[in-house]
Amino acid sequence: MVNEVLTVAMLVVMAIGVFSGFPVALVLAGTGFLGFVAAVWVGITDFQHLGLIYLRARGVLTNESVQFTSVPMLIFLGLILNASGIAETMFRLLGRLLTGVPGRYAIATLLIGLVLAPAAGVIGASVITVALVAYAPMMASGYAPRTAGGAVAASGALGVVFPPAVMLFFISNVFYLRIGLMYVALIVPVLLMVMAFAVYFAVTLRKTVEIPLDTPKTNLVSDLLFVLASVAVIASIPLSIILGFATLTEAAGVGVFGALLVALARKRLSFSSLNSVTVQTSTMTSMVFFIVLGASVFSLSFHLVGGPNVIFDWISAFDLTRWELLAMLLGVIIILGFVFDWIEVLLVFVPVLMPIISELDFADHVGSAYFAQIWIAGLIALALQTSFLTPPFGYALFFAKMAAPKGINLSDIYRGAVPLVAIEIALIAALISFPQLITWLPEMALGDADAPQLIQR
């Protein structure tokens, strides 16, 4: 009974603190300390174990198997590519290459989201960058406000789960998976999502007469080379990790160097822009690590009071099947994604739900227990990505409205996002039914020698 009371108290205090607008990192750390003091007061532990908080925080940041040094470099990489203006160049190039294709500017907007994947760890930066490039051409070409708004929001949300997105690093850390496997696991699902979105725009816009746009005359060969160079820089990170050529930190460092070369070649690398990108990177990185530290303090205290076991007992009392538990888990993740940033969901709530996740035995459905973990991690990533696009609280929708020109209302963006969310939910259902769409590439990447023993399907 004492454990249940403390568990509920910690969750309530944390929720009140977060919704009050207080900094999340301080709310997590403060709730963790209060929980520890309460645990001492009721006799669960004593103040001699206070040093566990320091050891926990130090252990998280110095864990050699978790390369946190790559986080600032991945953020820096995305911001540098944004500053180089590659999104504008890519949009212009794709618009020319897709001439004659219905909905070509909406499709071009989607493809930009993939190129901006490294910046999508902070979804606002990705959505706003795409919005500044794509809104005006789509509206000038005669697209309805809901179509333009939906395309921008979807594009900004796409990169969150496409390698080498920062979010995948944290998901692999939570599930103790190789980052390279997490990268390849999401390639097929995201490409399927892009294809589904592109088909939707092509079909719904097939009768739309696109007004020709006045675009600046530029060197097509030069534009193509810069876009290919940027794609190569981004692709080199997951490929070098998957092929075993480099660690995540080494690959991210090489990627940053390549991005700097692209910006320099485009004459967009001034001292002012470099200083601005560095400051933004420092701010975002500090936010991430403060939340990591706060989450580690909260997690330790939550485990001391027996919180995970209490939640597991509560849910077990409903006597749900494994499929019902999986559906409930993904639904909870989507709802949490409405009101919390993905960092908080992955570092606070997913560890709380981990006892339930660990009890989900889908080895017979997927092929092995190890690949079942990759499959569940991939589904959670896609559920989080879906929450960013789901009305009325999706983050991508608010950022799309923030950068929208006059004439586009939030209700327009909502209407444009609803069919895209339906497509995403249908895709998640397909991935649940056919887990090979997630696990096929990781199986290929591991090879016969390293792959866990597979159950014959």
Side-chain angles (χ1 to χ4, degrees):
M1 185 63 183
V2 172
N3 289 358
E4 293 181 354
V5 171
L6 289 179
T7 297
V8 172
M10 287 189 68
L11 292 176
V12 169
V13 170
M14 182 191 66
I16 293 174
V18 170
F19 284 111
S20 69
F22 210 67
V24 174
L26 296 180
V27 170
L28 293 174
T31 306
F33 277 115
L34 290 175
F36 183 86
V37 171
V40 172
W41 185 53
V42 299
I44 294 178
T45 186
D46 56 66
F47 279 113
Q48 290 182 357
H49 294 101
L50 188 62
L52 289 175
I53 294 177
Y54 163 75
L55 293 175
R56 172 79 174 213
R58 184 177 183 274
V60 168
L61 295 181
T62 59
N63 189 349
E64 293 183 0
S65 64
V66 183
Q67 302 175 45
F68 278 116
T69 51
S70 62
V71 174
M73 284 188 284
L74 289 173
I75 295 174
F76 186 81
L77 167 64
L79 293 174
I80 278 290
L81 287 178
N82 287 344
S84 70
I86 197 64
E88 181 181 357
T89 300
M90 185 178 184
F91 186 87
R92 186 171 60 246
L93 178 63
L94 288 171
R96 296 171 66 177
L97 294 179
L98 295 174
T99 299
V101 177
R104 57 172 172 161
Y105 292 118
I107 296 172
T109 302
L110 294 175
L111 296 176
I112 290 175
L114 297 183
V115 174
L116 296 177
V122 183
I123 189 170
S126 178
V127 174
I128 290 174
T129 299
V130 173
L132 294 175
V133 172
Y135 259 140
M138 282 193 287
M139 296 299 291
S141 186
Y143 285 18
R146 64 176 181 273
T147 301
V152 168
S155 175
L158 272 176
V160 178
V161 288
F162 195 70
V166 179
M167 189 176 81
L168 298 183
F169 167 84
F170 284 93
I171 290 182
S172 66
N173 178 34
V174 170
F175 282 85
Y176 301 100
L177 298 171
R178 301 185 194 180
I179 182 62
L181 295 182
M182 199 68 247
Y183 278 169
V184 296
L186 271 299
I187 290 177
V188 171
V190 175
L191 292 181
L192 288 175
M193 190 185 302
V194 173
M195 291 174 59
F197 286 170
V199 170
Y200 165 76
F201 284 123
V203 171
T204 56
L205 297 174
R206 67 187 185 281
K207 295 182 179 179
T208 300
V209 179
E210 294 187 339
I211 302 171
L213 301 177
D214 294 328
T215 57
K217 300 296 182 181
T218 57
N219 189 315
L220 179 61
V221 175
S222 176
D223 285 350
L224 184 60
L225 288 176
F226 280 125
V227 169
L228 291 177
S230 300
V231 172
V233 166
I234 295 171
S236 68
I237 297 176
L239 285 176
S240 60
I241 296 169
I242 295 165
L243 297 175
F245 294 153
T247 65
L248 176 59
T249 302
E250 293 166 347
V254 173
V256 167
F257 180 72
L260 289 171
L261 291 180
V262 170
L264 184 63
R266 289 177 59 83
K267 298 180 181 179
R268 300 287 186 93
L269 189 63
S270 64
F271 177 80
S272 175
S273 63
L274 187 60
N275 177 69
S276 176
V277 167
T278 303
V279 171
Q280 291 180 64
T281 301
S282 301
T283 302
M284 294 178 183
T285 303
S286 299
M287 176 194 69
V288 169
F289 282 112
F290 271 124
I291 293 176
V292 168
L293 288 173
S296 66
V297 174
F298 176 86
S299 177
L300 174 62
S301 297
F302 198 70
H303 278 80
L304 282 176
V305 302
N309 294 330
V310 170
I311 292 178
F312 180 73
D313 291 339
W314 286 346
I315 295 178
S316 298
F318 290 103
D319 195 26
L320 302 176
T321 67
R322 61 176 182 171
W323 295 106
E324 291 169 338
L325 278 174
L326 179 63
M328 183 200 71
L329 172 69
L330 296 178
V332 168
I333 294 295
I334 290 176
I335 293 172
L336 289 174
F338 288 161
V339 292
F340 297 103
D341 192 69
W342 63 260
I343 299 176
E344 299 150 32
V345 175
L346 291 178
L347 295 181
V348 180
F349 296 101
V350 171
V352 169
L353 298 171
M354 194 56 75
I356 303 166
I357 297 173
S358 62
E359 290 294 318
L360 294 175
D361 184 7
F362 287 98
D364 60 327
H365 178 63
V366 177
S368 80
Y370 184 76
F371 287 118
Q373 286 292 97
I374 295 177
W375 174 64
I376 292 175
L379 291 176
I380 288 177
L382 292 169
L384 265 178
Q385 190 260 353
T386 302
S387 73
F388 297 149
L389 196 58
T390 304
F393 302 113
Y395 279 173
L397 306 177
F398 295 138
F399 285 117
K401 175 61 179 76
M402 184 187 304
K406 291 183 178 180
I408 296 183
N409 301 315
L410 188 57
S411 58
D412 295 323
I413 299 174
Y414 282 170
R415 288 197 295 270
V418 167
L420 302 179
V421 172
I423 291 173
E424 290 205 26
I425 293 175
L427 175 63
I428 291 176
L431 295 172
I432 291 175
S433 302
F434 303 99
Q436 298 86 354
L437 293 173
I438 292 179
T439 61
W440 173 62
L441 280 181
E443 289 178 16
M444 295 286 290
L446 277 179
D448 295 334
D450 295 329
Q453 185 65 38
L454 298 178
I455 299 172
Q456 292 297 322
R457 300 190 178 96

